[in-house]
Structure formats: C-alpha cells, structure tokens
Amino acid sequence: FCIALLNEKDDGFILNSVQSSDGCYTYTKEVKKGECAITLGAEEKEALDDALSARITDALTAFEKEFKNMMEA
C-alpha cells in the first residue's frame, strides 16, 4: 500500500509498504508544502496527487456550501 497524509498546509508524509519474498518493508518520505525532496515512485506520486486533489475538492465543496448559504440568506 501507499498513502499520503497531509495537513492543511500540505505538509505531512508518504507511507509506502513493500512486500517481497524477503519480507515486508515500510518507508516514509517527508512532504513539505505538497513537495517531496526525495524522488517518488509511481505509487507514491499517485498517492500524493490524490491527497493534494482531495484537499482542493474539499475546499471547493466548502466554498460552494458557504456561497449557497450566503445566497439563501
């Protein structure tokens, strides 16, 4: 699995678990302002993109609700 966890400033980390015949390994990579200083693999990039776009979607949804409330007032 691979997941990116970010706060409201887009700081956080990417958690990546890799399973092989030798065992299971878990890696973390720090994210600051939506960017990672370490090169990301395809799954890590996808997880970060998903986390960042979820934040944008959440912000737009909140804005739409607030705008609707203002128009109904």
Side-chain angles (χ1 to χ4, degrees), residues 2-6 10 13-14 31 34-36 40-57:
C2 188
I3 186 169
L5 301 171
L6 306 174
D10 291 335
F13 61 92
I14 299 168
V31 176
E35 299 288 329
C36 185
L40 299 177
E43 277 187 328
E44 294 167 324
K45 175 80 170 115
E46 182 179 355
L48 181 56
D49 289 345
D50 288 348
L52 290 167
S53 61
R55 173 150 331 278
I56 292 168
T57 301

Side-chain angles (χ1 to χ4, degrees), residues 1-46:
F1 69 88
C2 188
I3 186 169
L5 301 171
L6 306 174
N7 66 14
E8 66 280 352
K9 296 179 182 178
D10 291 335
D11 296 334
F13 61 92
I14 299 168
L15 185 63
N16 189 7
S17 181
V18 179
Q19 185 175 357
S20 71
S21 58
D22 293 332
C24 185
Y25 304 93
T26 303
Y27 302 94
T28 59
K29 293 183 179 177
E30 184 178 26
V31 176
K32 288 186 177 181
K33 297 180 182 176
E35 299 288 329
C36 185
I38 301 171
T39 302
L40 299 177
E43 277 187 328
E44 294 167 324
K45 175 80 170 115
E46 182 179 355

